Amino acid sequence: MKVKINGKLYNGNTGETLMELAKRNNIYIPNLCHKKGFEGQGRCRLCIVEINDGGKTKIVSSCVYPIKDGIEVSTNSDKIIKIRKNIILLLLLRTPNNDTIKSLAKEYNVDIHYKYLDNKKKENCILCGLCVEACDKLGTKAISLVNRGTTKKVSTPYDDASKDCIGCAACVEVCPTDAISIDDKNGKRTIWNRTFNLVSCSICGKYFTTYEALKYTDDKLNIEKENQICNSCKRKEISKKFKESFKNTY
Amino acid sequence: MKIDSSIDYNETIKIIRKYPNEKKFTLAILQDIQKEYGFIPKEVMTKISDYLNIPLSDIYSMSTFYKALSLKEKGKYIIKVCNGTACHIRGSNSLIEELTDILNIAPEETTEDGLFSIEIVNCLGACALAPVMMVNGKYYGSMTKEKVKTVIDEYRGLEHEQ
Amino acid sequence: MNNSNRKILVCCGTGCLANNSFEVYTKLKEKLKDTKIAVQPLVKATGCNGLCEKGPVVKILPDDISYFKVSTKDVDAIVEKTILNGEIIDKLLYYDTNEKKKLISHKDATFYKHQQKISLRNIGEVDPLLIEDYLERDGYKALRKVLFEMTSEEIIDVIEASGLRGRGGAGFPTGSKWRTCYKYNNFPKYIVCNGDEGDPGAFMDRSIMEGDPNTVIEGMIICGYAIKSHKGYLYIRDEYELARKNMQIAIDNAKKHGYLGENIIGSNFDFDLEIVRGGGAFVCGESSALMASIEGNVGEPRAKYIRSVEKGLWNQPTILNNVETWANIPPIISNGAKWFKSIGIENNSGTKVFSLVGKVKNTGLVEVPMGTKLRELVFDIGGGIIKDRPFKAIQTGGPSGGCIPKEHLDISLDFDSLSNIGSMMGSGGVIVMDDTTCMVELARYYMEFLSEESCGKCTTCREGIKIMLEILTNITKGEGELEDIELLLDLSETISNASLCGLGKTAPNPVITTIKYFKDEYIDHIVNQKCNAGICKKLTSYYIEEEICIGCGLCAKKCPTNAITGIKKEPHIINADICVKCGACFTNCPTGAVKIGGVVVESKN
């Protein structure tokens, strides 16, 4: 399958999305809700591009658009830049004090001295849904998207301390805007209104995760309790096992 | 206000068991629960989650997404004021004002005696009779401020009789 | 008087029920039981007659007498005078405001004369709960024809050749949808009826489901047979209790009579239908959200680059049509594609049901051939504007549609003409507005509606609508700036281009069209601080024109705050400090002496 992106031809695979093809060829299309393993949400809309399909042009979001033979894609046309600037403006109006969004706004020359901008707003979440996806993939499903329309948010049921949460902080890991509040202090972690006891590393002695998360991983991997070793001591190994656990479960 | 402990869970189980434990029946079960209790009690949500083997967060997500479902207990008489376009341009706002005045509650709230709740809904599909309101499923067409009072008095009267 | 073939039809559609038609029905039955007539006339509860505002409607056949606004108090007279003695009761007859006279048969009314009924053909004529009534009017004949005489291709050919386009909104050709789905060899396939009818102002689907549920069932089975599907779902709005009830009874009866279920009328074809209650979310009218909802998920739409005819319900090939579309299928099969194509205009064949509501004299459901002029709809069928006030605009297509100003009154009502001027057919809600409707406030109203009804999934729809609502609210409060208009248009472009689903893509339409056709109203609000319609209270004041006031005192009597003073037969005065701007004086003044001013009180005193 041949796809022309910004004037150059690329070979695409059947079933591949435009975003995947672009990533494979190191073409950058801005995005916030797209991450390896959590593709195809189409929430943030930043990845819109203009395509020409047999003479007809239309705007599509590249993270969910399955490529077609012969299409011509423009990732940076004037129209796309103009719309993308407005999308960033909309995100900025929602989260005026968020660093990620602020730097995006700067990069795209979005005017921040805008009359409808409320600088007192403390919101950081752009509702990209990645945290919910990550929690789902892990199989814990402690959080979900709640409400609808302009009142939509991410939360646990009834905003309570969730019995399903294991305090693993995978949600924090994937969040593009550092919106999830996590507090590790005095051997305790507070996240999603629940406080967990942290486990210290048997090698370096640092607190590194929660008992619940360790137990959950061990159960999933079906292994006997090993020495509790922290991320920095055994990061690579654990992350390898984590990935395997995804594969085995899903 | 009823609290969760006063809920007859045998009834809950009966409602849930009417349906096979398949995901596609989640909304139907929730609606039956809503009909039975007037809202979705917390404990019941957990029971549905267990029965369907669906995470509580998903059921909660649905319960807060669909307007037919409510997490708060509603009054005995649910007054739905239609604010569809036809009703809007024929003055549904004045009905809402009158209701909030008479009942002394805001839309989406319930009176202290648990009798009335006001809901603003988007279209009741009786646009030819605009503005329209509905009390527990009964339509009241071509409403005016004056008629609002009569309707409320009618229901208050019913209470006194009982 | 021969009562053996007499029928008394009482409308029991939602509109008439609201005016106690069921009590009229019950009382009529009781009264007749007590009356000594050799052969009892048949009393039937039917679906909606269309003219809901004048309900309850009682029709007597074959005499062809129609009574309107009938109350239980009239029952005795109807039986004693009309049924027993053939006398006509004058006060219950319909007064035609166009013809300026009373009419015995409703068919002679201007409201009905211009109509041609295809999808509403049985409504008001049959008892929706009796399959026998449907069968008597050639019901399930089309089904018999396809099951025993036609192949899949032949059925699809007929639907395609008829030129039928989906009545739910976008007007996609139904036949080509069926053909694409038919080609996929991926089973099971599903048939879905969209009965979620969320557009405020539209209620034809409710009326069809309540008044003639069998036609929907028959249409769906025909499609099932054509594309080789054995399972259909009816997604019906949560608020439509009567529609769900009648539909369920019709399904059960169809099963009992062998028209639904296994081996349908001995043809070896199996098809089953299931009702799914909607959850109360406007976005579920969007096909992918509707399907997500049926599957037991939150009704969030997904990107539709792969169409639902290929991957729909549970990722299987699915045909989704709305109620009115399904109701057109049996007559097309029975009468042929040529017949259907001969009605309406090119590329827009057949009829369309409109719900004519708002500030129009005759409100109700109307079915007219495609291509009927808007003027005919509003002024002939609708009888013109209430109190003969000036016509300002109509709104079609609900929150996804747009406003059409009086300059376009002669537009042809069809899919293409409406979208050419920035509105859309939508499901056929026609909301008529007069000079007391504020277009800026209307745009604000739609944004408020959508801010609740957007699913909130994508940035542009969720955040875009939110900020548009904020800007419009400011303008209606007199806090807008001229550059806000440009900003609204700029944001509109972004939202319609970059949103994920149809709801978001069309959400800015009410704003775009009101700015296009009523920019001066925006400017009035922003620059002159004035709402000419008297709707935006912060930008409204009332004053009395001295030369016109006859001093009748009606305004003072109606004023809830005693803000109006004056001596009888002399011009009255409104005290602006006490006035709460309720508009009671304005609405009640018999001479039009009460005028609407801007934020600054205009008074000659």
Side-chain angles (χ1 to χ4, degrees), chain C residues 519-538:
Chain C
K519 200 171 181 175
D520 51 343
E521 282 196 30
Y522 280 83
I523 293 170
D524 258 344
H525 280 70
I526 296 167
V527 179
N528 304 331
Q529 298 278 294
K530 193 175 172 196
C531 173
N532 279 319
I535 295 296
C536 304
K537 292 299 166 205
K538 284 207 165 157

Side-chain angles (χ1 to χ4, degrees), chain C residues 156-413:
Chain C
I156 295 169
D157 284 348
V158 171
I159 301 300
E160 207 163 45
S162 75
L164 175 68
R165 295 168 69 172
R167 265 42 176 164
F172 192 81
T174 307
S176 103
K177 192 190 264 186
W178 290 21
R179 191 175 299 284
T180 319
C181 192
Y182 171 66
K183 282 184 188 153
Y184 290 109
N185 274 318
N186 180 7
F187 298 93
K189 294 181 185 178
Y190 296 107
I191 310 283
V192 180
C193 171
N194 185 348
D196 201 45
E197 193 164 61
D199 277 7
F203 57 99
M204 56 287 290
D205 289 352
R206 172 175 66 67
S207 208
I208 295 172
M209 290 187 284
E210 285 175 7
D212 191 17
N214 281 293
T215 188
V216 180
I217 298 173
E218 188 177 5
M220 291 179 80
I221 311 172
I222 291 170
C223 178
Y225 178 72
I227 67 149
K228 300 190 165 37
S229 158
H230 302 285
K231 177 86 193 187
Y233 291 93
L234 288 137
Y235 190 85
I236 305 179
R237 262 189 89 173
D238 177 58
E239 289 88 345
Y240 288 0
E241 217 166 294
L242 184 62
R244 278 204 311 273
K245 192 191 112 210
N246 288 5
M247 209 71 214
Q248 188 61 57
I249 293 172
I251 288 173
D252 295 344
N253 281 338
K255 273 187 195 162
K256 254 183 242 158
H257 285 76
Y259 292 103
L260 203 56
E262 280 173 24
N263 187 19
I264 292 175
I265 46 174
S267 66
N268 272 327
F269 175 66
D270 306 337
F271 191 78
D272 200 14
L273 274 177
E274 194 177 306
I275 292 179
V276 176
R277 245 177 306 168
F282 175 72
V283 69
C284 286
E286 209 279 340
S287 62
S288 61
L290 185 149
M291 289 178 199
S293 186
I294 294 180
E295 290 168 10
N297 293 311
V298 158
E300 275 190 355
R302 59 168 175 79
K304 283 203 295 187
Y305 301 121
I306 301 170
R307 300 213 161 260
S308 54
V309 282
E310 184 184 350
K311 284 185 175 180
L313 209 48
W314 290 290
N315 274 325
Q316 293 299 116
T318 304
I319 290 280
L320 172 79
N321 281 130
N322 87 322
V323 174
E324 191 186 334
T325 315
W326 290 120
N328 273 293
I329 301 296
I332 292 176
I333 294 290
S334 295
N335 305 322
K338 248 193 185 159
W339 162 80
F340 193 73
K341 244 195 141 155
S342 71
I343 302 159
I345 55 169
E346 217 190 328
N347 294 325
N348 286 274
S349 42
T351 55
K352 176 76 194 85
V353 183
F354 292 98
S355 63
L356 191 57
V357 295
K359 307 273 183 73
V360 65
K361 281 180 192 162
N362 306 329
T363 54
L365 278 191
V366 174
E367 185 169 1
V368 288
M370 287 268 191
T372 298
K373 299 279 182 280
L374 174 60
R375 186 187 297 278
E376 200 180 327
L377 188 71
V378 175
F379 289 94
D380 295 341
I381 299 172
I385 310 300
I386 294 175
K387 289 189 179 172
D388 294 317
R389 296 198 70 87
F391 168 87
K392 186 188 262 184
I394 65 150
Q395 214 278 346
T396 63
S400 310
C403 296
I404 302 172
K406 63 171 181 290
E407 296 89 285
H408 288 296
L409 253 177
D410 287 305
I411 193 171
S412 150
L413 291 164

Side-chain angles (χ1 to χ4, degrees), chain B:
Chain B
M1 285 290 218
K2 257 191 283 180
I3 44 163
D4 281 8
S5 62
S6 69
I7 285 162
D8 175 3
Y9 289 116
N10 289 328
E11 203 51 49
T12 310
I13 307 284
K14 253 193 257 165
I15 293 170
I16 297 175
R17 291 254 165 91
K18 273 199 318 206
Y19 296 91
N21 61 342
E22 290 170 42
K23 189 180 183 188
K24 69 168 183 173
F25 296 113
T26 320
L27 183 55
I29 293 176
L30 286 167
Q31 282 171 316
D32 283 1
I33 295 290
Q34 173 77 35
K35 205 166 181 187
E36 176 70 23
Y37 302 112
F39 73 121
I40 313 285
K42 211 169 177 173
E43 281 302 309
V44 176
M45 207 185 280
T46 314
K47 285 197 166 29
I48 299 172
S49 158
D50 291 344
Y51 177 73
L52 294 170
N53 199 18
I54 290 174
L56 185 67
S57 61
D58 278 353
I59 314 258
Y60 185 75
S61 184
M62 274 182 94
S63 306
T64 55
F65 184 88
Y66 292 109
K67 233 181 163 176
L69 309 171
S70 162
L71 298 183
K72 273 197 288 183
E73 191 165 6
K74 297 273 172 76
K76 184 172 175 187
Y77 302 107
I78 299 170
I79 307 167
K80 292 185 178 179
V81 186
C82 182
N83 196 24
T85 320
C87 290
H88 182 75
I89 67 167
R90 280 200 183 181
S92 54
N93 272 346
S94 71
L95 305 184
I96 298 164
E97 276 168 23
E98 184 70 6
L99 271 171
T100 52
D101 250 24
I102 295 180
L103 298 174
N104 208 12
I105 48 167
E108 313 306 319
E109 286 181 359
T110 302
T111 50
E112 249 174 48
D113 56 7
L115 273 187
F116 298 99
S117 297
I118 309 176
E119 281 177 27
I120 297 172
V121 296
N122 279 331
C123 183
L124 291 170
C127 323
L129 305 175
V132 174
M133 69 181 220
M134 193 194 225
V135 184
N136 286 6
K138 188 176 182 340
Y139 281 88
Y140 293 86
S142 310
M143 287 300 292
T144 57
K145 264 182 148 177
E146 293 74 34
K147 281 198 208 164
V148 167
K149 199 171 179 312
T150 325
V151 173
I152 296 296
D153 286 346
E154 186 186 311
Y155 286 94
R156 278 186 175 149
L158 276 182
E159 281 310 299
H160 283 295
E161 278 168 30
Q162 281 164 13

Side-chain angles (χ1 to χ4, degrees), chain C residues 111-126:
Chain C
F111 182 79
Y112 291 104
K113 257 199 306 206
H114 297 251
Q115 298 195 46
Q116 182 172 1
K117 297 195 173 186
I118 296 177
S119 56
L120 303 180
R121 66 196 180 283
N122 292 326
I123 301 175
E125 309 296 328
V126 301

